[in-house]
Amino acid sequence: MIPRFRPQLGWDELKAAWFKPVAISEFENGFARLMGARNAVAFPYGRTGLALLLEALGIKGKEIICPAYTCVVVPHAVVVSGNEPVFVDSRPEDFNADLDAVEGAINENTGAIIATSIFGYPVDLDRLDDLRRRHPQIAVIQDCAHSFGASWKCRDVVNDGDAAIFGINVSKLITSIFGGMVTTNSDELAQRLRSIRYKRVEPPGYWKPLARKLYLTAVIAAFNPAVYAAVNFLERSGLLDPFVRYYDESLIDMPKDYLIGLTDVEAAVGSVQLGRYHDIIARRRAVAEFYNANLAAIDGIDLPPLVDGATYSHYVIRTPYKARLIKFGLENGVQFGQLIEYCIPEMASYTNRPGARFQYPVSSAMARTTVNLPLSNDSRDDLEKVVRTVKRFCES
Ligand SMILES: *Cc1c(COP(=O)(O)O)cnc(C)c1O
């Protein structure tokens, strides 16, 4: 079974986790350096970073504009911070939020815009700058969970706006097991973030680092091909649902430990991963080009765009036969993913909230038609097998 994603974790990460803990501040410094940002502040999850960032920006009781098509933990964090997420539809071209719709959603109660470079496609910074010039009182937060070093016309997405947030769990471009990061070029904002973190986030204590070591060891074992087939069987049977489901359609909530600090074990793993970053991105760009070249002109699927500066956290095709393709893949040894398979303002927990007040035809269609292809660390044989599987499906 070719897995839908495969974290690039090996002995170096395992050794670091068990034997070479790293201070959080050291990981933060390394992260800031890699992203070319002045400051980085670490959190137990990206969503914790977002909630506390809004607090540090003094934003409360405000509307926060975010994409309808993004990870659902983002609006959860907005709600938990005492604000209201307002959703805008996406652009069909590159999956990102439609910035004209963002401008249309702005009113006197707007506190911030969360600009997301979804799947690694850089947000249009020229259009965003234009918005900021006309609405200087509104904060701009870059959600770089999928994009890390993405750039728009050679300008870093990360360093545009007031701050950027990152998720660094095992499904992301690089990982510190769990964890999140906020970067900012404002020393004053970084200082406020650190003092809020000091007040609100508990130290991790004794058990959490041990639990994280065991979790990492289990993840590395689970991605061993033989084990993965078994895990995949368990997942399909529903037995793993309590472990792998990251959201409940009807609830707005945060993980129980979202205010328990990042551990030095996670900082150790994250620090090793920083050194792999450039290889990981180069590899993803090459795979995206390979897929686009080899899947061109097949009836029944639409290919994603290739964009300069994109980081391809996911390689996402669109097909009206999504469910059948996923099933066909599983029967033929290829696990296709479906991230993101929902349009947030259509979810039970959000549909009646004031922020779901617009129309979402593009996001809604994307939720129903997007399928992501395996993209990480797969051999040439694996990639060719994925291509063959998609072709055979489309011919049938
Ligand atoms: C993963 C992710 C986050 C943050 O996730 P955490 O799980 O809270 O670390 C934020 N935005 C997007 C788009 C994501 O995919």
Side-chain angles (χ1 to χ4, degrees), residues 125-346:
L125 293 184
D126 294 323
R127 180 75 178 88
L128 194 62
D129 281 351
D130 183 44
L131 270 177
R132 289 168 65 196
R133 263 194 301 277
R134 268 175 293 137
H135 306 277
Q137 75 289 2
I138 298 176
V140 171
I141 299 170
Q142 296 289 353
D143 182 346
C144 292
H146 288 181
S147 53
F148 286 61
S151 57
W152 170 263
K153 297 188 179 156
C154 299
R155 289 165 58 199
D156 291 341
V157 171
V158 172
N159 290 306
D160 185 273
D162 296 271
I165 63 158
F166 301 81
I168 33 184
N169 67 42
V170 289
S171 73
K172 306 296 185 186
L173 289 164
I174 56 172
T175 180
S176 60
I177 314 184
F178 286 89
M181 198 66 87
V182 177
T183 59
T184 175
N185 292 313
S186 157
D187 295 344
E188 194 208 329
L189 179 58
Q191 196 47 49
R192 257 180 290 149
L193 262 174
R194 287 181 202 284
S195 80
I196 286 175
R197 181 179 63 176
Y198 182 75
K199 277 187 246 150
R200 301 283 309 281
V201 178
E202 282 174 48
Y206 180 77
W207 290 108
K208 188 176 175 184
L210 181 62
R212 289 297 191 248
K213 285 180 207 180
L214 293 170
Y215 178 85
L216 179 77
T217 310
V219 165
I220 292 175
F223 278 92
N224 173 289
V227 181
Y228 196 79
V231 171
N232 184 253
F233 171 79
L234 291 174
E235 194 176 324
R236 285 166 70 190
S237 68
L239 285 171
L240 288 184
D241 275 5
F243 305 105
V244 298
R245 248 188 5 197
Y246 72 97
Y247 67 93
D248 180 328
E249 164 94 30
S250 62
L251 285 182
I252 295 177
D253 63 358
M254 298 283 260
K256 276 200 283 303
D257 60 354
Y258 88 101
L259 290 174
I260 299 180
L262 192 74
T263 65
D264 54 6
V265 172
E266 286 160 297
V269 173
S271 297
V272 174
Q273 288 263 299
L274 294 177
R276 296 193 197 265
Y277 173 78
H278 291 292
D279 281 349
I280 289 174
I281 300 298
R283 168 87 189 144
R284 279 162 184 264
R285 288 181 170 145
V287 176
E289 282 171 23
F290 174 87
Y291 278 149
N292 261 42
N294 286 277
L295 292 171
I298 297 181
D299 280 344
I301 60 170
D302 286 328
L303 300 185
L306 293 178
V307 172
D308 286 343
T311 51
Y312 306 103
S313 67
H314 304 81
Y315 178 90
V316 181
I317 62 173
R318 278 176 269 190
T319 172
Y321 313 111
K322 166 174 165 159
R324 277 165 50 199
L325 174 60
I326 291 172
K327 181 160 174 285
F328 185 81
L330 287 175
E331 289 160 3
N332 291 281
V334 178
Q335 192 183 40
F336 294 108
Q338 42 172 345
L339 192 103
I340 298 157
E341 78 280 26
Y342 46 72
C343 167
I344 301 170
E346 292 172 355

Side-chain angles (χ1 to χ4, degrees), residues 10-82:
W11 283 114
D12 290 345
E13 283 82 358
L14 206 55
K15 273 187 297 191
W18 283 96
F19 306 116
K20 284 186 262 169
V22 163
I24 302 296
S25 58
E26 192 182 324
F27 178 40
E28 290 174 338
N29 291 341
F31 195 96
R33 217 175 306 124
L34 183 64
M35 290 298 129
R38 279 182 63 88
N39 306 279
V41 185
F43 291 91
Y45 294 89
R47 64 197 96 169
T48 310
L50 174 57
L52 298 189
L53 171 63
L54 288 167
E55 194 174 324
L57 289 165
I59 297 173
K60 183 141 200 178
K62 296 277 191 181
E63 291 193 346
I64 311 298
I65 300 174
C66 68
Y69 193 70
T70 187
C71 183
V72 72
V73 309
V74 171
H76 287 0
V78 169
V79 172
V80 163
S81 75

